[in-house]
Amino acid sequence: MRRLVMAVVAAMTLLATTQGLAWAAAYGNPQLLVDTQWLAAHLNDRDLRIIDMRNSPEEYAAGHIPGAIYLSVNQIRLALRESGFALPPDYEIEERLGLLGITRETMVVVYDDQGGLNASRLFFTLEYAGHKKVALLNGGLTKWMAEERLLSKAAPQVSKTVYQVHAETQRVAAAGWIVAHLRQSTLALVDARSPAEFRGEDLRAKQGGHIPGAVNIEWTRNLTGDKTFKPADELLALYEGAGVTKDKMIVTYCQTMHRGAVAYFTLRLLGYPDVRGYDRSWSEWGNDTALPAKW
């Protein structure tokens, strides 16, 4: 009888694991998203670097995932005097990643407590840098804590490394590139801001509205109520229903390529091959009256 019970339990465990893998595999690039169970099982991996990207170092000091180191979102974007942010120059990215103890062979897992808002910005930067081993923690620290998993207050000692950027410039779209492709049917623009910003009612630049031809898919629509990413079929239906299909060149943006980075990550997770982030976003476009805008 005991053997039968153990066999049933083992079969149920295998079924649950298989179902979980099948659900993850539905994403085109499932390796870009790890769950809390996976991370808990790999905390002691030698080549793992966990990055905590919550909004303040005080939150990190109060408790974080064991082994995680803190990184502010402002440390991976360049504040511009005129307005907004841009990707830092390659040498600054190399310096920052080196200080984090990352090599090109390091598996980087990033989390925050905002549904990937800050973590996605680092993902965008790492993709530009040509880093292949990177994933977001699905549900972030919110899910980790809801499951009452272990927290630590110890900041790990990190040895500086030498990192070399292999720039994938096709991951970034500049205003001039967008203008040159604006009338092409192969271009799809995803505006991740709020509907009010998209319509020009919430004005955060000299001019309101959106880039002509853009579709508005607010960044929160990628997430469920518990801040995990929606299943692949729901996300594909959302984007394909808006005309954002895998055969097109996709550009995501918002006000500062913060919310736009979540859209960028989601599309890469789904397996979209040609996704670019407009890192200057509406902070540039909306303040340059020479660029076309639509309400």
Side-chain angles (χ1 to χ4, degrees), residues 8-48:
V8 170
V9 170
M12 291 177 67
T13 302
L14 178 61
L15 177 62
T17 301
T18 303
Q19 289 175 335
L21 291 172
W23 183 83
Y27 296 115
N29 287 318
Q31 75 279 5
L32 300 182
L33 192 66
V34 300
D35 61 19
T36 51
Q37 184 175 349
W38 182 94
L39 185 57
H42 290 81
L43 285 178
N44 296 317
D45 284 8
R46 187 173 181 178
D47 292 327
L48 176 68

Side-chain angles (χ1 to χ4, degrees), residues 76-90:
I76 55 158
R77 59 185 185 179
L78 180 66
L80 301 175
R81 186 172 63 178
E82 54 270 31
S83 65
F85 301 89
L87 280 169
D90 290 359

Side-chain angles (χ1 to χ4, degrees), residues 15-262:
L15 177 62
T17 301
T18 303
Q19 289 175 335
L21 291 172
W23 183 83
Y27 296 115
N29 287 318
Q31 75 279 5
L32 300 182
L33 192 66
V34 300
D35 61 19
T36 51
Q37 184 175 349
W38 182 94
L39 185 57
H42 290 81
L43 285 178
N44 296 317
D45 284 8
R46 187 173 181 178
D47 292 327
L48 176 68
R49 175 67 69 225
I50 308 170
I51 309 293
D52 183 313
M53 291 197 68
R54 285 176 290 168
N55 280 338
S56 74
E58 290 76 21
E59 293 174 311
Y60 170 81
H64 51 265
I65 294 176
I69 59 177
Y70 181 73
L71 178 68
S72 165
V73 69
N74 287 328
Q75 292 177 304
I76 55 158
R77 59 185 185 179
L78 180 66
L80 301 175
R81 186 172 63 178
E82 54 270 31
S83 65
F85 301 89
L87 280 169
D90 290 359
Y91 72 87
E92 286 192 15
I93 296 174
E94 291 173 341
E95 178 70 14
R96 178 58 55 192
L97 296 181
L99 289 172
L100 294 172
I102 295 172
T103 72
R104 296 196 64 83
E105 298 305 314
T106 303
M107 176 63 192
V108 180
V109 174
V110 198
Y111 72 86
D112 54 42
D113 57 359
Q114 302 177 76
L117 192 60
N118 291 339
S120 292
R121 179 71 198 207
L122 178 57
F123 176 85
F124 170 59
T125 303
L126 287 171
E127 282 239 303
Y128 163 78
H131 196 87
K132 303 303 181 184
K133 296 182 177 182
V134 55
L136 264 61
L137 177 62
N138 199 17
L141 192 68
T142 305
K143 191 171 189 293
W144 185 273
M145 293 182 66
E147 295 169 350
E148 299 182 347
R149 296 186 182 272
L150 184 65
L151 293 176
S152 172
K153 293 185 179 180
Q157 296 296 313
V158 176
S159 298
K160 184 178 179 180
T161 60
V162 176
Y163 193 94
Q164 185 175 5
V165 165
H166 294 175
E168 296 189 4
T169 56
Q170 77 279 9
R171 294 296 177 196
V172 185
W177 185 93
I178 296 172
V179 170
H181 292 83
L182 204 53
R183 297 185 182 278
Q184 296 183 11
S185 60
T186 53
L187 177 68
L189 293 155
V190 177
D191 186 320
R193 297 176 300 160
S194 69
E197 289 171 89
F198 183 79
R199 293 191 298 263
E201 298 163 3
D202 182 353
L203 190 63
R204 303 187 184 188
K206 290 180 181 177
Q207 60 181 348
H210 55 270
I211 300 175
V215 295
N216 184 211
I217 301 177
E218 190 171 8
W219 74 278
T220 54
R221 296 178 66 190
N222 297 296
L223 307 171
T224 65
D226 64 357
K227 297 182 181 179
T228 56
F229 284 86
K230 290 179 178 177
D233 57 347
E234 290 186 32
L235 290 170
L236 282 170
L238 174 64
Y239 283 97
E240 290 178 351
V244 182
T245 51
K246 290 184 178 180
D247 59 329
K248 294 182 178 180
M249 302 179 295
I250 317 298
V251 176
T252 71
Y253 74 94
C254 59
Q255 182 70 23
T256 60
M257 195 51 193
H258 199 181
R259 293 167 288 177
V262 178

